[in-house]
Amino acid sequence: MLANCERNSPLLKPIKLRIYGLKDGKLHDRYILIMGQDKLPIAGFHLSNSFQAAAQNQPLLVTPIPADILLKVEQYKSELVRDATEAQPEGETETPSMRLLFDSTASPTVPRHYEPLGFLEKVQAGDVLSAWTGELSLHGLSSKPLKEQMIVLGQLKDDSLVLPVTASLRKFLKQQEGNFEGFSATWEVLGEVLAYSRTENHYDHGLESARDFLEFLAQFLKESFNRVHNEVDKELAVAEVRFFQDPVEALLHSPYYPHHLSHPTKFTALTWSEYYAIKFLWWYFPDALLVIAEAQMACVPIEPQGRDVVKLSLLSQIVSEISLSVQFDISKGQRDRLVRSSNGLLQWMGLNAIEQQLEKPGGLTIVLQLVAAFAYPEQVRALSWMIHRATRDPKKVEIYNGLVAALHEVLPPTIPADDLRHVVDSMRGHMRELTWAEPWLFRDVIFPLLRDDRANNDDAFEIWREELAALLEPKPRHQSRLFELAREGQTTNITAFLFAYSSPERQQASLKSMQDILKWQRRIVQQPLASTSDWTRWDDALVVSMWILTFARWGQYYLYQRSITSHELDELSRCASALALIRPMEEWRSRGTPAIPASLPRF
């Protein structure tokens, strides 16, 4: 971004654009402040994630900043800007909270972030260019004499290389005759030549047969992980460390896609020779590249330091290259090697590559054949993950139905409790709550198994009972208790349905658990001055009581359909009603509460 701003600084001159860098933690969310000519705020907006982080990092929730808060926000912003503009006292070691990175109105005195012809200063530059172009007059030259001769030959014009288009890496490598002893310095120059010259397609060289060269690249890349980056004072972008460390299960429950990890060009801390080494190894010797990546990812520090920037940049570049091919043109060999990887991130990339096949004609058949080669637990996990992702796209109904049918076929005739839980947990998605997987999870996946007596109703009830109990647990003060008919309502309804068809022993145990939750709410509500000393806590206790009442009423309804009564359930309903109706039903129906809409009492 900064390099683009500097390159286009003449175009940005008429615009007052300033880019600041902030310390982590100084600004939690995103804000838009509109200032008047008197430099006072006219309006402001807060851009945040949606409720319960459903949108993850996307600022989908936009709210106006109240007038009484707006001035305080502007004052805080002004203090940060002041930190960035004031000169730092001499001897001060602590970095400021915010510093200016780019100013469109300033003179272009900022040094360039890259120097494309810097490699011409290297001793080997003339020898490499002589072999590349066939011009013997360049041999042995470097720096200014090399540039002058290249200008005479028409190979350097306006600080840009103009090398013969007939030159190629394949022709250059033939001259080596398989001898890559001491080739590193030459490859450092070659990387720059590939980056800054127009040559034939680098990926059409037939390099898969150049095994000596590819083995050199693998060794070169291994040694690069020990390289120290000199410009430690610069802020450099790399992928988050946790991506390299997370198990595949965690990534399958994340909201990320491969394109979130792709990078348009090389990471700043890397050289072009390292960039092309990664590219060529991935395309022509992926096994060697992934062996290196797996070993390095296994020893990435939890809290990386400045000395780790090259290692993290190399791993980020490897992941970026893989993510691009996953999206467009990954080969069967690359995909299969990713799936077999010992690293969670690389496995996840392989599973995404398999899922991409669903978009192609006949893709469902191909995917099911690939998944069939997995061990049983991995088959269940992969199919469940793909089912969850397919539910988001109404155009994938046929694919969704095919995946569900395949999962039912993979599961054994009689499904153990642990297997059923594994299926459900694999479909939770990044929100991790069943409320976000309703109603399709129960309706399409679990209910057919119960209907056909392949799964035990008690096992399913225990999963949903635990989920409902978690919804009724006390919430931290900064979290709201939400109830939507399409989510929490569905989960409560399904739990009541499963309760009605579970064994008497399981019913008794669940009702005791519900009574314990209700007793705790009663203690809160019946405390002296509860509604005035801590209204929020008192109100939440009423909400939980009403929620338990809805569960009990739906449970009674489903038992009635079976011509069964439960005195214990009737008692739970009576106790919950007595507590919840401390707030009159008319008040519940008319306005609900600040946390829960009127849909809860209606439900």
Side-chain angles (χ1 to χ4, degrees):
M1 179 181 69
L2 294 177
N4 277 323
C5 287
E6 291 167 15
R7 194 177 305 116
N8 295 294
S9 56
L11 298 175
L12 296 174
K13 264 291 187 189
I15 305 170
K16 188 176 180 181
L17 172 65
R18 288 176 183 164
I19 301 174
Y20 293 91
L22 278 81
K23 270 188 177 180
D24 188 30
K26 285 294 180 181
L27 209 59
H28 176 67
D29 276 318
R30 286 136 288 199
Y31 301 86
I32 296 175
L33 297 181
I34 301 173
M35 309 296 291
Q37 293 183 350
D38 55 2
K39 296 187 177 181
L40 291 176
I42 299 173
F45 300 91
H46 174 219
L47 286 70
S48 182
N49 304 335
S50 63
F51 291 119
Q52 295 180 323
Q56 291 295 309
N57 296 324
Q58 307 303 320
L60 298 184
L61 183 65
V62 181
T63 53
I65 301 174
D68 57 336
I69 302 296
L70 183 59
L71 189 58
K72 294 181 181 178
V73 175
E74 195 282 328
Q75 289 171 346
Y76 181 69
K77 181 270 297 181
S78 297
E79 290 174 4
L80 291 175
V81 174
R82 195 178 305 117
D83 282 349
T85 54
E86 287 180 352
Q88 195 170 5
E90 193 171 330
E92 185 72 42
T93 58
E94 186 178 353
T95 56
S97 301
M98 187 166 94
R99 64 187 181 89
L100 182 65
L101 301 178
F102 176 79
D103 186 350
S104 63
T105 62
S107 300
T109 56
V110 181
R112 296 171 71 176
H113 280 255
Y114 69 99
E115 181 55 59
L117 299 184
F119 75 96
L120 297 180
E121 306 292 329
K122 295 184 178 182
V123 176
Q124 300 84 1
D127 296 344
V128 172
L129 288 169
S130 176
W132 182 271
T133 62
E135 288 289 346
L136 298 179
S137 60
L138 300 178
H139 187 76
L141 300 181
S142 64
S143 192
K144 186 176 179 181
L146 176 59
K147 294 179 182 178
E148 290 174 347
Q149 183 61 22
M150 291 180 70
I151 291 173
V152 171
L153 296 172
Q155 295 179 0
L156 186 62
K157 184 177 181 181
D158 298 330
D159 285 343
S160 296
L161 294 180
V162 188
L163 302 181
V165 294
T166 56
S168 71
L169 181 60
R170 180 169 47 188
K171 293 178 182 178
F172 188 95
L173 295 177
K174 279 185 178 180
Q175 300 176 44
Q176 295 300 123
E177 298 180 345
N179 180 19
F180 293 96
E181 187 76 25
F183 192 69
S184 295
T186 299
W187 176 243
E188 289 282 359
V189 177
L190 269 179
E192 303 282 343
V193 173
L194 292 172
Y196 295 116
S197 63
R198 293 178 59 191
T199 64
E200 64 183 56
N201 191 332
H202 301 318
Y203 312 116
D204 191 26
H205 288 135
L207 291 182
E208 61 273 359
S209 61
R211 183 49 63 99
D212 291 339
F213 173 62
L214 295 173
E215 288 177 352
F216 158 77
L217 290 182
Q219 184 59 36
F220 175 83
L221 190 60
K222 284 182 185 177
E223 295 171 359
S224 293
F225 276 94
N226 298 320
R227 183 170 65 82
V228 177
H229 187 62
N230 296 325
E231 300 176 1
V232 294
D233 56 328
K234 287 188 176 181
E235 296 181 9
L236 303 172
V238 293
E240 289 185 55
V241 173
R242 66 181 180 85
F243 283 117
F244 307 130
Q245 301 168 332
D246 279 350
V248 66
E249 292 82 6
L251 292 166
L252 290 174
H253 282 98
S254 74
Y256 296 103
Y257 286 81
H259 68 264
H260 290 127
L261 298 176
S262 63
H263 194 70
T265 183
K266 78 175 180 68
F267 284 83
T268 306
L270 303 185
T271 64
W272 283 111
S273 54
E274 291 164 342
Y275 172 82
Y276 281 106
I278 290 170
K279 272 190 174 296
F280 292 147
L281 284 173
W282 173 239
W283 280 102
Y284 303 114
F285 202 4
D287 189 65
L289 178 66
L290 295 185
V291 166
I292 296 170
E294 287 163 350
Q296 294 295 332
M297 288 178 179
C299 61
V300 168
I302 297 175
E303 295 184 2
Q305 306 298 319
R307 62 179 177 271
D308 301 311
V309 67
V310 173
K311 173 184 283 192
L312 295 177
S313 297
L314 287 167
L315 291 176
S316 300
Q317 193 71 58
I318 291 171
V319 171
S320 174
E321 191 65 32
I322 293 171
S323 71
L324 286 172
S325 62
V326 166
Q327 297 171 70
F328 299 108
D329 52 359
I330 193 167
S331 71
K332 179 182 181 300
Q334 291 170 329
R335 183 191 65 215
D336 293 346
R337 180 56 180 83
L338 287 172
V339 171
R340 298 194 310 270
S341 174
S342 59
N343 177 266
L345 177 60
L346 299 179
Q347 279 187 55
W348 177 77
M349 286 286 191
L351 290 173
N352 275 276
I354 290 176
E355 188 201 25
Q356 289 283 339
Q357 297 292 317
L358 292 172
E359 306 288 341
K360 301 178 180 179
L364 178 61
T365 302
I366 296 173
V367 167
L368 295 183
Q369 289 173 349
L370 293 171
V371 172
F374 295 177
Y376 168 69
E378 283 71 36
Q379 285 188 55
V380 172
R381 183 180 66 193
L383 289 171
S384 299
W385 170 70
M386 291 183 201
I387 288 169
H388 181 272
R389 303 246 284 198
T391 61
R392 305 177 185 178
D393 191 346
K395 298 178 182 178
K396 294 183 177 179
V397 174
E398 186 176 344
I399 291 173
Y400 169 78
N401 292 333
L403 291 170
V404 172
L407 176 63
H408 286 164
E409 188 174 332
V410 165
L411 293 169
T414 301
I415 303 169
D418 290 343
D419 286 16
L420 186 66
R421 187 176 290 273
H422 180 49
V423 170
V424 173
D425 289 345
S426 298
M427 296 190 184
R428 287 179 178 268
H430 74 272
M431 294 303 291
R432 304 295 181 101
E433 296 177 356
L434 295 186
T435 53
W436 293 87
E438 306 290 12
W440 60 266
L441 171 56
F442 182 78
R443 180 193 64 213
D444 301 336
V445 180
I446 303 301
F447 181 72
L449 300 175
L450 298 174
R451 181 192 59 208
D452 298 340
D453 291 327
R454 295 180 62 188
N456 187 289
N457 197 88
D458 279 7
D459 298 337
F461 173 57
E462 185 60 20
I463 296 171
W464 264 264
R465 184 202 66 78
E466 291 174 2
E467 195 74 16
L468 180 59
L471 292 172
L472 299 176
E473 286 179 353
K475 296 287 182 184
R477 287 190 174 273
H478 65 279
Q479 286 189 14
S480 299
R481 190 183 300 279
L482 302 177
F483 184 93
E484 290 286 342
L485 286 176
R487 292 198 298 268
E488 290 80 8
Q490 287 280 1
T491 300
T492 306
N493 192 9
I494 291 167
T495 308
F497 173 82
L498 292 171
F499 168 86
Y501 286 84
S502 62
S503 65
E505 296 78 16
R506 192 58 61 93
Q507 290 180 354
Q508 293 294 327
S510 66
L511 290 175
K512 183 180 182 304
S513 173
M514 285 291 183
Q515 282 286 7
D516 291 342
I517 296 173
L518 192 62
K519 285 178 183 177
W520 180 250
Q521 312 311 315
R522 186 181 297 111
R523 291 193 192 100
I524 295 172
V525 171
Q526 292 180 349
Q527 285 179 355
L529 302 176
S531 62
T532 54
S533 60
D534 193 341
W535 184 90
T536 301
R537 189 163 178 253
W538 173 84
D539 174 71
D540 187 64
L542 292 183
V543 169
V544 172
S545 302
M546 176 60 80
W547 204 325
I548 293 175
L549 177 59
T550 64
F551 164 77
R553 292 285 174 85
W554 278 102
Q556 290 172 317
Y557 168 75
Y558 288 122
L559 284 176
Y560 176 77
Q561 287 188 327
R562 302 186 64 199
S563 301
I564 298 174
T565 58
S566 170
H567 298 298
E568 292 81 1
L569 183 61
D570 294 342
E571 178 63 16
L572 177 68
S573 177
R574 186 190 65 78
C575 294
S577 177
L579 200 57
L581 294 182
I582 289 176
R583 170 178 286 140
M585 185 57 78
E586 292 75 16
E587 188 176 342
W588 278 106
R589 287 172 174 161
S590 63
R591 64 175 183 85
T593 72
I596 304 293
S599 56
L600 176 58
R602 286 202 304 271
F603 172 71

